[in-house]
Amino acid sequence: MRPEEELSVEVEGAGGRAQRLGAEGGALVLSEGGARLRCWPLHAVRLKPEPQGGALLLEAGGEVLTLGCAPDARAALLALAAPGAPSDAALAALLEDAEPDEADAERRVRRLAERLARLDALNVAGMLAAATEGGGARLAERLDAGGAAGAALSARLARLEALTRAAPAALHARSGAARADAAARALLAELGELYAWLDHPALADLDALGEVSLGSAEGRARALAAAEALSGALEAGERAGEARLRLGAVRERLRRLARARDALAAALARHLNNALVHLGNEATAGAARPGAHHAELAPYAPFARWLRRGDARAHAALLRVYCAAWARVHERAVRAWAERARAELAAGPPERAAEPLDAVLADAEALLDAEQDFCVRFFALDEERGAARRLAGELFPALEAELAALVAAAERRDAYGAMRALAVAGRRALGGDEAEGERWARAALAAVAVAAKRGADRAVAERLAAMPDAVRAAARRPKCGVLSFIPELEEMSAVCEDIFARGRRADLDRWYLSLGTGALRTVQQATHPRTCACCSRALAHHSHCAGTCRWARARCARCSRPRTRARRAPCC
């Protein structure tokens, strides 16, 4: 189509609506009542008459519209669709970057010259179309576009002519230059990767890394950045290909980075060791409370984690120093808590014996949880469970013994002291969240609960062993009565129901079963001079001796059987 021609005719659209179809500025516009309905580029539109009927078929963008129009209007539109000046697609084909063959070089030059002339005609047509539209800005835009396209085409034509005059083999030389350029670009990319790998900005001054100051936040940030960069570079070196590792500069750089890592690890280990010893001495002297050092050591946690990955020996040495320094502090704190609780046990009433033990367990649980959270976070112990359990024993060597001694003191203070301790320790040991995983405090509380359970079992066993003695003591009394362990069992039931009101009753029910079974068995086996051997009922009075001393045999008031052992009558 010719973009310099403009036409507007009346057509009949779908449903018999009156519409207008016209060419405006290189585009075909379909409008209705002054409003644009559709717009297509002229080079993308195809107009043809309908084979049967007087309608016009418009094909654009994969769709076909059927438009009714007068015969003269249809002829004008079909004339507009006739081939003419080169389209925008032809201009794009003119400028496309294609390499000519050796034999077609001269013909290519002539064809480009012809197309250049057609391009000039196209520019003139655009100028005329812009002038008829009355837009000076559009004319200037088209002039600039035409000038740029002409300059690009002229430059390409000049290069092609020079290449053709130089030598026919110049085209192959150009292909070789392209390969050399690609190789140079690949080499540049490889060097960029090597630079990013081995020359990180944080590693600008490797020799000064061993003297970096960790006392300030700026120094710690610089040291941490250098440490992470060193680890990343050396770990990438382990995964690097053989081609890169054959380079002498790469091998030398890796050796220097390894020396810098060792120097930085030694400086970090030395600083952390001094900090741990200093804080431990302050806490031992009583200048700080247990657990106050966690906040002061928190900024050094990334360095301890880095040492665990980069220098396992230095990390293990720091762990030993920490345990040695703070085990004394924790031992002193636990002993102070236990002594205070024993004093309160001795001074308070027996029924409140569980309160001092509960206070000690609360303090121990808080200290254990805080210490475990700090050690796991600071020394990166979350990756190895065995180390965490071993560390708990090294940090709190006297905790279990002190708590067991406190349970024994409560047991001696009160007949139900072990049961009170079991209730307190059991509630705390079973009150945690199972999702938290293995906790030091839970293990310590479980050990206390086991010790208290053993004490309570001993108390129950002693009650069972005392039942035959109670029967023998009752047999020595002249009158029958209730065995002494029966009221004791009633008292124990009332006290234990109050103790285990808010805890688990499994142990209490087991004790009830043992004591009840033992009491029934002891009662069934008990005998008394005033009771019948067969039915345990009270015997009748002795028969009179009629003034003579003789042995009388009493008989049971229920079964009338003689008693098994003769006894002297009271009247004798």
Side-chain angles (χ1 to χ4, degrees):
M1 289 186 163
R2 301 179 184 87
E4 65 273 14
E5 297 179 5
E6 295 189 3
L7 181 67
S8 178
V9 298
E10 294 183 359
V11 296
E12 182 179 352
R17 293 179 299 178
Q19 300 175 347
R20 296 192 67 84
L21 182 66
E24 299 178 6
L28 191 63
V29 179
L30 179 63
S31 58
E32 180 179 355
R36 290 191 177 190
L37 300 179
R38 303 291 300 276
C39 182
W40 304 275
L42 286 174
H43 63 83
V45 177
R46 181 180 179 187
L47 297 175
K48 61 181 180 178
E50 188 179 13
Q52 297 177 359
L56 183 67
L57 298 180
L58 188 150
E59 299 180 3
E63 64 177 346
V64 179
L65 299 180
T66 303
L67 304 175
C69 59
D72 55 343
R74 182 179 60 179
L77 290 173
L78 292 176
L80 184 65
S87 63
D88 295 343
L91 179 60
L94 178 66
L95 296 176
E96 76 176 316
D97 191 4
E99 295 292 339
D101 298 331
E102 293 180 14
D104 298 332
E106 295 293 337
R107 185 167 43 188
R108 175 74 173 174
V109 172
R110 290 195 299 270
R111 185 158 60 261
L112 289 176
E114 294 173 0
R115 291 187 177 182
L116 181 59
R118 295 175 63 186
L119 179 62
D120 292 337
L122 182 62
N123 291 336
V124 172
M127 293 168 57
L128 293 176
T132 56
E133 294 173 0
R138 191 164 187 177
L139 176 60
E141 180 182 353
R142 292 197 176 188
L143 286 175
D144 294 339
L153 186 59
S154 299
R156 179 164 177 77
L157 181 60
R159 290 197 305 270
L160 184 59
E161 289 178 351
L163 181 62
T164 305
R165 288 193 301 268
L171 296 176
H172 297 288
R174 184 178 180 183
S175 299
R179 287 194 296 270
D181 180 71
R185 292 181 182 275
L187 177 60
L188 183 61
E190 181 71 15
L191 292 177
E193 292 180 3
L194 289 176
Y195 177 81
W197 167 29
L198 298 173
D199 199 7
H200 193 275
L203 305 178
D205 193 2
L206 291 179
D207 297 332
L209 288 181
E211 302 175 358
V212 64
S213 175
L214 299 177
S216 62
E218 181 180 358
R220 288 193 295 268
R222 179 189 170 199
L224 183 59
E228 296 296 340
L230 284 172
S231 297
L234 293 175
E235 290 174 2
E238 297 176 358
R239 302 187 301 267
E242 296 182 0
R244 289 185 174 182
L245 295 179
R246 284 198 297 266
L247 297 175
V250 172
R251 294 197 301 270
E252 177 60 28
R253 181 65 175 179
L254 288 176
R255 285 193 292 268
R256 188 179 179 191
L257 291 178
R259 291 194 298 268
R261 179 196 60 188
D262 296 340
L264 181 59
L268 292 176
R270 183 169 58 252
H271 184 86
L272 291 178
N273 182 82
N274 295 337
L276 292 177
V277 172
H278 174 70
L279 292 175
N281 293 336
E282 285 186 351
T284 303
R289 60 179 179 83
H293 61 289
H294 295 167
E296 299 186 26
L297 292 176
Y300 301 99
F303 299 105
R305 287 181 171 269
W306 181 82
L307 282 176
R308 189 179 189 278
R309 300 193 309 267
D311 194 343
R313 294 179 59 185
H315 182 270
L318 284 177
L319 202 56
R320 289 193 297 270
V321 170
Y322 182 80
C323 291
W326 291 98
R328 298 189 298 270
V329 178
H330 297 327
E331 182 178 1
R332 187 186 64 180
V334 170
R335 286 180 177 174
W337 296 340
E339 291 176 0
R340 183 189 62 193
R342 280 192 288 268
E344 294 179 358
L345 278 174
E351 59 271 11
R352 303 189 63 178
E355 296 180 1
L357 178 60
D358 191 19
V360 172
L361 293 181
D363 293 338
E365 184 177 7
L367 179 59
L368 284 168
D369 287 341
E371 198 65 38
Q372 181 180 5
D373 294 339
F374 170 76
C375 290
V376 169
R377 182 176 62 254
F378 189 83
F379 292 105
L381 300 180
D382 49 351
E383 304 174 4
E384 188 177 353
R385 287 189 172 183
R389 288 194 297 268
R390 176 180 55 83
L391 185 62
E394 295 179 0
L395 278 175
F396 300 93
L399 177 62
E400 186 173 347
E402 290 292 337
L403 293 180
L406 189 58
V407 171
E411 184 179 356
R412 291 190 301 269
R413 180 68 177 85
D414 182 19
Y416 306 102
M419 299 177 182
R420 300 181 193 276
L422 176 59
V424 171
R427 283 196 298 268
R428 289 191 172 273
L430 300 177
D433 188 4
E434 295 293 337
E436 295 180 356
E438 186 176 357
R439 303 291 296 177
W440 296 355
R442 182 174 296 177
L445 293 172
V448 175
V450 169
K453 182 178 179 181
R454 291 174 181 172
D457 290 340
R458 283 195 301 268
V460 173
E462 291 174 359
R463 290 178 181 273
L464 288 173
M467 288 181 180
D469 296 336
V471 172
R472 287 190 291 270
R476 289 192 294 269
R477 293 196 295 268
K479 294 183 178 181
C480 298
V482 179
L483 297 175
S484 60
F485 59 80
I486 299 298
E488 294 177 358
L489 291 180
E490 293 179 358
E491 178 187 358
M492 175 184 171
S493 175
V495 174
C496 289
E497 288 294 335
D498 183 63
I499 292 175
F500 293 95
R502 295 180 296 131
R504 59 191 300 267
R505 296 177 50 91
D507 295 317
L508 181 59
D509 295 338
R510 180 172 55 84
W511 296 334
Y512 281 165
L513 180 60
S514 299
L515 291 172
T517 304
L520 290 175
R521 183 171 56 250
T522 302
V523 170
Q524 290 175 357
Q525 296 175 357
T527 60
H528 192 274
R530 295 288 183 175
T531 57
C532 179
C534 62
C535 65
S536 300
R537 292 280 183 170
L539 295 173
H541 291 291
H542 286 268
S543 60
H544 241 20
C545 62
T548 60
C549 293
R550 64 184 180 86
W551 295 96
R553 297 182 62 84
R555 293 180 177 275
C556 179
R558 179 180 180 185
C559 62
S560 300
R561 293 182 182 179
R563 55 183 294 181
T564 57
R565 185 178 62 182
R567 186 174 178 182
R568 214 166 174 179
C571 58
C572 301

